[in-house]
Amino acid sequence: MTTDVQDGTQALRAGVGDVLLDVRDLRTHFKVMDGLVKAVDGVSFSVRKGGRLALVGESGCGKSVTALSIMRLIETPPGIFAGGEIMFNGRDLLRLSDAEIRKVRGGQIAMIFQEPMTSLNPVLTVGAQLTEAILLHQETDKKGARRIAQKALEDVGVADARRRLDQYPHELSGGMRQRVMIAMALSCNPALIIADEPTTALDVTIQRQILELIKDIQTRTGAALLLITHDLGVVAETVDDVAVMYAGRVVETGSVDEVLLRPRHPYTRGLLESIPSQGKRGKRLSVIKGMVPNPFRMPPGCKFQPRCPYQWDDCGTGEPALISLDESISSRCFLHDPRFRDRLAAYDSPMGDPA
Amino acid sequence: MGEQNGAPAASAAGESGEDAYIRAEVEELEASPDYDVALESLGQWELAWRRFRKHRMAIVGSALFLTMVIAGVVGPFIMPFDLYKIPYPDIIDSFGRGPMLTHPFGETARLQWDVLMLVVNGTRLSLLIGVLASLIATIIGTIVGGISGYFGGWLDTILMRIVDSLLTLPLLFIVLVFTKFLGSGNWLSVTIIFGLFGWLGIARLVRAVLLSLREEDYVDAARAAGVGNLRIIFRHLMPNALSPIIVATTLSVAGVIIGEAFVSFLGFGVGPETPTLGNILSGSQDTIINGNWWWAFFPGAAIVVIVLGINFMGDGLRDALDPRAKI
């Protein structure tokens, strides 16, 4: 386990070797009536082949938009790809033609959506929806596609798969539907699976099964996993690396162990402190004060500064860079800027050692 | 609950009044014909059919419409009179004779055609024109509306402005002008003209439906699986939009039949050599003052029955296909 994590962080840090997906300085903006919303503004991260990365953050932090940008499912207009690149297997997905990106979608990158109840078309049978993707991306006939679909359903643990193929989505339960979505995602052997909050709409008991299933499928097929979630518990159980997003930026990134056990960025700390746990029984739960900033009135400087318990005078002037603290973690905070080394000393050390 | 020896004793004899009542309820439920159906999950179409069956007006309308369809399809073959042979009446009466046993709908004036024979032939052609023109209109309207609603943006703006400007033209005059152009009197050209100008409403309807359907999650899921836009429109979204399209197409059949009757009556539609319900009426107008009411009445009644039938049926379909309606 530990070595595994080490490997992951190496690739994450170095950004070389067998990197599958490399998002560099992605900027996805939306032109709306009231102005420009910079939903994603300079996000960078990478996923190595077979690796597992989670994007974590509150609603509206830009994590789903990042995922949809990778799939090029952002409608333009109103969306604008204002900058950056998304390198996947050496090709910039943002520069592919519509026909080329359609080959990538479903074939090389598959996506599992948040709402299994509404992500399947109610008027088409499960089999029709599964075989459609298979026929699009694989050299096979209808019969062969049906066989592959049935195999995929069996792989995700759907009992009586042959009969399920002829059923309509309304005849399946929520967990079953999410299994169908996962079967659809893995039926074409993608190199990367993007799971956008795959368990949010499910019961707690089913959540666990689905997470285990995704992890299991991911290790069995060797596909890389990009997990989008707001649930830090899910993160701890499922991935190797994590990138915490706030207001359209990555504010902290590193291995799961480092980020969850020794968070460096004040925002990550706030998130972790707001989770109820056994040790906090009877105490008041701490919260991050304030609100997510209005996208039309982003604070100058550090975007978290208005809510930050560690704020300093000049936090509002310049925006901190993503500072690499050691090979397994980096944080976007002035506290970790070597120029302001003395500040960290002003707080008793839970912020971690910047050395 | 005075029962001392517990649940197993609740046999027929020791049953309390409440238990007996529940048992009777369950038995009644199991005996009802819908019981087995209720256990299975009902598909969209089965549910719609159950609602349609319970809609009295829809059943009456369908019966009227079906009767006319059968009359139009079968009638011309079992008639003892031939449309293409000039009749040889046993008694010459240039005003035509009224309803009698051998001619239940009477005879026309002048050549003394059998009106029933004209009505069944006219019904056949009127229905054919109505259905064909509505199908053409539905196909065009679905394509234009589907593309417009799904893609939105400038394409939508252009297509909808075209629809708007076509809607400002009075359909009747277009038909009058075009039938003169495309060889007046030919029923096929009349059909095509009604089809080519009847799609505007359906295009608007389909566009409106697709505007909301395209926001569904399964559209994103299909796109994420690599499905192309046209396939999403016509394979994934159209089946979801089918209910309003079916209703609109059905009602449009009635509209075309009336429109065709109107222009044919005015002498701009289908020529008198091929009778439609409209041009039969057109021939009748000179002699109606001589007391020959049956020549006008029966084809007119046929139009009323067909159109009423379709409209009742369409209303029933609208209610039956509405997923929010209760069974």
Side-chain angles (χ1 to χ4, degrees):
Chain A
M1 183 64 197
T2 321
T3 50
D4 200 5
V5 168
Q6 284 302 326
D7 285 354
T9 50
Q10 291 300 342
L12 186 79
R13 287 288 90 238
V16 289
D18 46 357
V19 169
L20 178 70
L21 175 76
D22 193 13
V23 177
R24 293 179 200 152
D25 197 29
L26 175 69
R27 289 167 199 276
T28 309
H29 300 170
F30 292 92
K31 210 173 193 141
V32 294
M33 204 96 79
D34 301 330
L36 192 69
V37 174
K38 297 181 176 177
V40 171
D41 202 25
V43 161
S44 303
F45 60 87
S46 59
V47 184
R48 83 199 141 85
K49 287 197 172 85
R52 297 189 287 230
L53 174 77
L55 281 183
V56 193
E58 287 169 276
S59 307
C61 71
K63 54 192 195 300
S64 280
V65 173
T66 305
L68 292 174
S69 299
I70 296 170
M71 294 295 270
R72 279 262 300 275
L73 287 176
I74 300 288
E75 285 204 42
T76 50
I80 306 162
F81 290 113
E85 48 191 21
I86 299 173
M87 301 304 292
F88 176 76
N89 267 342
R91 290 196 296 173
D92 186 354
L93 295 182
L94 292 181
R95 279 178 227 291
L96 294 186
S97 71
D98 283 354
E100 287 171 318
I101 192 74
R102 273 212 296 278
K103 289 262 162 238
V104 173
R105 286 181 196 150
Q108 293 162 49
I109 305 179
M111 190 152 175
I112 301 166
F113 286 86
Q114 179 174 356
E115 285 285 345
M117 305 309 275
T118 54
S119 296
L120 286 166
N121 194 327
V123 301
L124 299 178
T125 61
V126 168
Q129 299 184 57
L130 277 169
T131 50
E132 181 171 46
I134 296 167
L135 286 168
L136 278 171
H137 298 292
Q138 294 184 40
E139 299 281 322
T140 178
D141 59 351
K142 277 200 168 157
K143 267 193 166 162
R146 216 182 133 85
R147 252 197 316 278
I148 297 171
Q150 192 183 330
K151 172 86 172 46
L153 277 188
E154 281 160 5
D155 282 349
V156 297
V158 171
D160 210 357
R162 184 194 291 272
R163 192 169 60 91
R164 296 287 180 206
L165 285 178
D166 295 317
Q167 287 188 321
Y168 286 90
H170 73 266
E171 299 175 67
L172 308 181
S173 67
M176 194 77 91
R177 285 187 218 190
Q178 194 60 299
R179 282 175 197 270
V180 171
M181 294 304 292
I182 295 171
M184 200 180 289
L186 71 95
S187 61
C188 293
N189 308 314
L192 172 66
I193 298 173
I194 300 177
D196 188 359
E197 311 226 7
T199 57
T200 309
L202 300 173
D203 292 349
V204 189
T205 46
I206 308 293
Q207 279 187 12
R208 171 145 212 118
Q209 292 174 13
I210 294 293
L211 277 183
E212 292 294 327
L213 177 67
I214 291 177
K215 239 170 102 172
D216 179 47
I217 295 283
Q218 188 265 335
T219 28
R220 241 190 309 160
T221 60
L225 175 68
L226 176 61
L227 179 76
I228 316 284
T229 183
H230 60 250
D231 187 336
L232 290 168
V234 168
V235 170
E237 287 177 40
T238 320
V239 297
D240 310 322
D241 301 308
V242 59
V244 182
M245 286 185 69
Y246 184 79
R249 290 151 183 78
V250 172
V251 292
E252 177 159 8
T253 176
S255 69
V256 165
D257 291 357
E258 282 291 326
V259 174
L260 294 192
L261 297 178
R262 295 205 301 142
R264 313 298 164 86
H265 195 279
Y267 177 62
T268 318
R269 282 178 54 84
L271 277 186
L272 284 163
E273 275 166 12
S274 63
I275 299 175
S277 75
Q278 284 289 327
K280 296 178 199 163
R281 187 179 285 266
K283 289 185 206 149
R284 183 169 280 275
L285 206 56
S286 75
V287 292
I288 304 176
K289 61 174 179 148
M291 301 275 285
V292 178
N294 181 331
F296 297 111
R297 283 197 301 272
M298 278 291 182
C302 173
K303 301 301 171 238
F304 186 59
Q305 157 256 325
R307 306 172 72 185
C308 184
Y310 303 94
Q311 59 177 293
W312 215 268
D313 292 343
D314 47 357
C315 282
T317 54
E319 188 164 5
L322 196 60
I323 301 156
S324 189
L325 301 179
D326 65 42
E327 61 215 40
S328 63
I329 195 159
S330 30
S331 158
R332 190 187 287 277
C333 182
F334 282 130
L335 282 175
H336 305 118
D337 191 323
R339 288 176 295 161
F340 306 112
R341 201 172 260 257
D342 49 325
R343 282 187 193 176
L344 201 56
Y347 298 103
D348 35 305
S349 77
M351 296 303 291
D353 196 338
Chain B
M1 307 290 266
E3 209 62 66
Q4 290 295 321
N5 24 0
S11 60
E15 214 168 38
S16 74
E18 200 180 346
D19 288 343
Y21 175 73
I22 290 171
R23 206 164 61 102
E25 285 271 282
V26 169
E27 271 166 12
E28 190 187 344
L29 198 68
E30 283 175 344
S32 84
D34 289 345
Y35 179 68
D36 288 335
V37 190
L39 287 184
E40 290 168 33
S41 52
L42 284 175
Q44 183 193 6
W45 299 111
E46 291 158 87
L47 280 171
W49 170 234
R50 282 154 64 93
R51 283 194 289 260
F52 190 77
R53 259 184 353 209
K54 294 196 176 152
H55 200 292
R56 193 170 304 146
M57 293 302 268
I59 293 298
V60 170
S62 309
L64 290 179
F65 179 64
L66 268 182
T67 311
M68 294 311 284
V69 169
I70 292 169
V73 172
V74 183
F77 295 103
I78 58 169
M79 276 287 119
F81 310 103
D82 191 333
L83 178 61
Y84 300 101
K85 275 195 195 116
I86 302 230
Y88 288 95
D90 42 355
I91 296 167
I92 306 284
D93 181 342
S94 64
F95 291 132
R97 288 172 292 171
M100 59 182 120
L101 216 57
T102 43
H103 300 287
F105 283 10
E107 287 174 345
T108 71
R110 293 190 291 271
L111 287 176
Q112 292 178 263
W113 294 98
D114 177 52
V115 174
L116 177 59
M117 186 271 294
L118 290 180
V119 166
V120 291
N121 277 289
T123 300
R124 171 166 72 167
L125 199 53
S126 284
L127 281 173
L128 190 63
I129 292 172
V131 170
L132 275 185
S134 297
L135 282 182
I136 296 173
T138 303
I139 290 169
I140 301 176
T142 304
I143 292 172
V144 173
I147 289 174
S148 193
Y150 179 77
F151 288 106
W154 59 269
L155 194 59
D156 178 41
T157 310
I158 290 173
L159 288 173
M160 283 304 116
R161 290 306 78 77
I162 292 173
V163 168
D164 287 347
S165 39
L166 285 177
L167 275 172
T168 61
L169 304 174
L171 179 64
L172 193 67
F173 292 104
I174 293 177
V175 176
L176 298 188
V177 170
F178 272 76
T179 43
K180 283 294 166 207
F181 256 122
L182 290 171
S184 125
N186 181 356
W187 70 268
L188 202 59
S189 61
V190 173
T191 307
I192 290 170
I193 291 158
F194 271 100
L196 287 184
F197 288 93
W199 55 271
L200 305 166
I202 294 185
R204 280 187 158 182
L205 174 85
V206 173
R207 168 184 177 266
V209 176
L210 278 239
L211 273 179
S212 78
L213 282 181
R214 70 167 183 182
E215 305 293 334
E216 295 284 341
D217 288 343
Y218 55 77
V219 175
D220 274 340
R223 291 173 71 204
V227 183
N229 287 326
L230 288 181
R231 206 178 149 81
I232 290 179
I233 297 177
F234 293 107
R235 183 163 157 76
H236 289 247
L237 294 182
M238 277 312 159
N240 284 288
L242 211 51
S243 308
I245 296 175
I246 289 175
V247 174
T249 307
T250 310
L251 294 178
S252 127
V253 173
V256 173
I257 288 174
I258 292 214
E260 183 277 324
F262 189 27
V263 292
S264 294
F265 178 77
L266 294 177
F268 293 92
V270 181
E273 67 282 0
T274 44
T276 68
L277 294 175
N279 65 19
I280 301 172
L281 281 175
S282 167
S284 74
Q285 51 188 325
D286 300 332
T287 49
I288 200 162
I289 45 163
N290 299 99
N292 187 334
W293 55 268
W294 49 90
W295 188 1
F297 175 79
F298 290 107
I303 295 179
V304 171
V305 170
I306 293 177
V307 171
L308 266 186
I310 292 175
N311 284 340
F312 286 165
M313 203 168 74
D315 286 346
L317 278 176
R318 194 199 309 273
D319 293 341
L321 292 172
D322 182 355
R324 283 158 301 187
K326 293 210 181 82
I327 301 174

